[in-house]
Amino acid sequence: MYHAHMDTVTRYIDTRELDGSRPAFSRTVVTGIAPGGGLFVPENLPSFTLEEIVALSELPYWQRAAIVFGRFGVDLGDEHVETLMREAYGDQWDDERIAPVVEVVAGTHVLELWHGPTSAFKDMALQCMPLFFSAAVEKMQAEGSLTDDFLILVATSGDTGKAALEGFADREHTSIVVFYPDGGVSDIQRLQMVTQRGGNVGVFGVRGNFDDCQSAVKAAFSDDAFATRLHEQHGLRLSSANSINWGRLLPQIVYYVSAYADMVAAGGVKPGSLMDVCVPTGNFGNILGAYYARRMGVPIGRLLCASNENNVLTDFIATGTYDISDRAFVTTPSPSMDILVSSNLERLLYHLAGPEAVRGWMAELATSRRFTVDRETFAAIRELFFADWASNDESLATIKRVYDEYGYLMDPHTAVAWEVAERLHGEDPVLVVSTAHWAKFGADVYRALTATAYDAPLADDAARMSGLELLFEVQRIAPSAGPVPAPLAEIACLELRFSDVVDAGRDGVEDAVSEWLTRS
Ligand SMILES: *Cc1c(COP(=O)(O)O)cnc(C)c1O
């Protein structure tokens, strides 16, 4: 295990460089990516005793979060953090437990991370991180180390864009503009974004696919002239708030600590006994939260890493070689896990092997699209992580099977984790992490329930339905599915605020932003 030197307040260091500037939490969040090109990681981790963890079950979720953040020495003051957490985990959630644990069958529990305003797990972090971001900017402006406000630019294939919009809407010192591929997101995903409330938000379709969208936003980020113009004419700096920001990772540790407390309280695990955790994995952020929780004292046994057909992580955990040199990107019913480069893996590698090794491997990945870890690191990974993957048809079949057997309806991402958890189940109870409400992926859930293959067209009557009508059809054929979350069910009644579609490319994005800034 790699240890840097200890300090009383948590400072953050670069995964690729030992002698960085070691910022505290708030500067880390505003900076995003570390100056040496790596990711920020905490220099030391707090720890919890079993008694402390178990006692959390008596507290509301916002307080559990405030306690974990307090241990991390978040540099905003304990009272301020409490106020922010009351707001982040307040009544915009449709379950007051925020991240409830549900026992679906003896020994298999589901951690539901989709009770937030956009019905997907990104809310767990994005209802919280923008509050930290805004408070951090305020603090830095008060100290005189910053004068500008921030403009967050996001390219989205669907879910992240909506969760980021909802998180940053009407947050002080920030505004946010989201770009999505026109025609490349589902009916419901588009409606969720173009009806977004808030005075500081903008949404644009881009003529092109997600890659075009992402390259255009990246090009805008690396255009110095654009940055200068934003600074001089609008007093703004650009930021991305993407999933490698430490401010998005820290909230993802909280729900593992919280879940263990709930499991003990419900009798799902004896105090101090181990539970395994199975996570549907894309960018490796969610499962990394479980890794940190384990190191902080939560009795987690094995970390089960579940992938879909984009199974580069399954191969990495089996062989120690991360190889995307000859790997095609596959489309799946779990699009939020469709990833080739799992960015947050770099943080795990740092903790196991240190910055020099990480620098070497990341350089190899950039040049030859593959790297192999050393034997010791591989052994350390194999002690903690177990991995498997589910095919498109397997994951849809799992949705139907689990609904038929237990009356519990899952989305396709959760189904991947369920299938893998079932295959890898050991002695200990397993916590299956559920990352989206089924209604977010209604068409594929409908396919699953009607035993239609992933790549088969929908039957005529279903094909004629809108995304929303299809959800009500799912409820008709799966009566114990539970209600469609209100923000989705009511979406057809909301005002359409954004209809602009712009050209792909740097100029398309920059012109859209400039015009939006003058308008608002
Ligand atoms: C983002 C996301 C994931 C993947 O999480 P990572 O932290 O990227 O591993 C899984 N499921 C859903 C629904 C998501 O939105």
Side-chain angles (χ1 to χ4, degrees):
M1 199 69 48
Y2 184 79
H3 289 290
H5 73 276
M6 301 291 279
D7 203 350
T8 45
V9 173
T10 304
R11 303 229 153 232
Y12 292 87
I13 43 182
D14 189 331
T15 46
R16 298 190 196 178
E17 207 177 277
L18 206 48
D19 304 314
S21 57
R22 301 171 68 243
F25 179 77
S26 53
R27 186 170 287 273
T28 302
V29 171
V30 170
T31 312
I33 192 131
L39 310 183
F40 282 120
V41 284
E43 199 171 31
N44 47 273
L45 287 173
S47 60
F48 284 86
T49 65
L50 181 61
E51 289 67 34
E52 288 170 335
I53 295 166
V54 170
L56 293 179
S57 72
E58 305 283 321
L59 303 176
Y61 192 88
W62 68 264
Q63 231 169 337
R64 303 180 192 189
I67 288 171
V68 174
F69 293 144
R71 290 292 175 85
F72 267 91
V74 167
D75 58 328
L76 293 166
D78 286 353
E79 265 177 53
H80 192 182
V81 170
E82 286 195 2
T83 311
L84 297 181
M85 289 310 100
R86 265 183 205 271
E87 193 174 348
Y89 301 112
D91 56 15
Q92 73 274 43
W93 296 76
D94 69 13
D95 188 308
E96 64 177 14
R97 296 167 297 175
I98 309 297
V101 177
V102 176
E103 182 169 17
V104 173
V105 56
T108 304
H109 305 250
V110 174
L111 172 61
E112 296 180 345
L113 299 179
W114 39 256
H115 288 279
T118 79
S119 308
F121 123 89
K122 300 289 186 291
D123 287 334
M124 295 303 306
L126 278 166
Q127 283 298 297
C128 178
M129 182 268 199
L131 293 166
F132 280 138
F133 194 103
S134 161
V137 174
E138 180 123 354
K139 177 176 150 83
M140 287 162 71
Q141 288 181 351
E143 290 165 357
S145 60
L146 178 75
T147 48
D148 285 346
D149 280 349
F150 279 81
L151 173 64
I152 314 288
L153 283 192
V154 180
T156 184
S157 56
D159 280 356
T160 303
K162 174 61 184 179
L165 284 164
E166 194 58 38
F168 278 100
D170 293 330
R171 297 286 164 232
E172 299 273 308
H173 306 296
T174 65
S175 40
I176 176 166
V177 179
V178 168
F179 294 89
Y180 69 90
D182 185 40
V185 300
S186 78
D187 191 26
I188 289 191
Q189 284 175 325
R190 187 186 57 84
L191 281 172
Q192 277 190 302
M193 289 189 276
V194 301
T195 55
Q196 177 62 46
R197 73 187 167 86
N200 62 341
V201 307
V203 177
F204 293 90
V206 171
R207 284 179 205 99
N209 58 25
F210 174 57
D211 263 350
D212 300 324
C213 210
Q214 197 164 31
S215 337
V217 168
K218 273 194 183 149
F221 268 112
S222 51
D223 178 5
D224 291 339
F226 183 53
T228 307
R229 222 161 53 232
L230 286 175
H231 168 67
E232 286 178 355
Q233 296 176 8
H234 303 280
L236 288 173
R237 283 193 205 193
L238 285 178
S239 182
S240 74
N242 59 20
S243 78
I244 54 180
N245 190 303
W246 177 256
R248 286 189 52 183
L249 228 128
L250 188 50
Q252 296 178 184
I253 299 173
V254 176
Y255 50 74
Y256 289 106
V257 189
S258 165
Y260 189 81
D262 287 337
M263 286 273 286
V264 169
V269 66
K270 287 198 215 55
S273 293
L274 298 177
M275 69 175 182
D276 290 339
V277 167
C278 186
V279 187
T281 303
N283 225 349
F284 211 75
N286 196 352
I287 197 166
L288 194 67
Y291 165 80
Y292 281 121
R294 187 183 189 278
R295 284 194 50 192
M296 287 159 56
V298 179
I300 292 172
R302 300 177 305 158
L303 299 163
L304 311 179
C305 176
S307 297
N308 62 23
E309 294 191 9
N310 293 295
N311 52 8
V312 57
L313 282 168
T314 315
D315 288 349
F316 172 66
I317 290 167
T319 64
T321 296
Y322 197 96
D323 189 350
I324 51 169
S325 61
D326 189 25
R327 205 173 247 281
F329 186 88
V330 190
T331 335
T332 74
S334 40
S336 302
M337 300 159 70
D338 290 344
I339 268 171
L340 290 179
V341 180
S342 288
S343 324
N344 272 303
L345 183 63
E346 178 168 347
R347 287 192 161 109
L348 174 71
L349 295 175
Y350 168 84
H351 290 297
L352 300 177
E356 261 168 58
V358 167
R359 206 162 52 230
W361 295 329
M362 292 304 130
E364 275 179 62
L365 184 63
T367 52
S368 49
R369 314 283 286 159
R370 68 196 299 272
F371 65 88
T372 302
V373 298
D374 61 273
R375 282 177 70 155
E376 256 176 72
T377 305
F378 185 49
I381 290 171
R382 300 273 292 180
E383 243 176 66
L384 295 171
F385 290 90
F386 295 76
D388 204 346
W389 64 282
S391 71
N392 291 349
D393 287 334
E394 280 168 345
S395 57
L396 295 194
T398 301
I399 293 176
K400 178 160 170 55
R401 185 166 49 82
V402 172
Y403 182 77
D404 289 345
E405 281 178 33
Y406 311 117
Y408 187 78
L409 190 58
M410 298 180 298
D411 97 291
H413 301 78
T414 310
V416 167
W418 182 286
E419 172 68 20
V420 167
E422 220 167 46
R423 283 187 219 155
L424 301 181
H425 210 300
E427 304 275 292
D428 298 322
V430 62
L431 185 71
V432 174
V433 176
S434 176
T435 49
H437 189 279
W438 62 263
K440 274 223 95 147
F441 299 93
D444 284 322
V445 170
Y446 178 83
R447 276 199 173 76
L449 292 171
T450 52
T452 310
Y454 168 64
D455 49 9
L458 288 176
D460 277 355
D461 44 345
R464 272 193 299 271
M465 292 182 195
S466 72
L468 201 55
E469 285 166 336
L470 206 50
L471 299 188
F472 298 123
E473 184 58 17
V474 167
Q475 278 187 306
R476 199 183 58 76
I477 58 180
S480 57
V484 173
L488 290 177
E490 291 157 11
I491 205 161
C493 313
L494 299 177
E495 179 203 355
L496 301 179
R497 294 186 62 201
F498 305 99
S499 56
D500 291 355
V501 177
V502 301
D503 284 336
R506 193 188 76 181
D507 292 348
V509 162
E510 292 184 359
D511 292 348
V513 168
S514 303
E515 202 250 335
W516 177 79
L517 284 168
T518 1
R519 217 189 312 157
S520 52

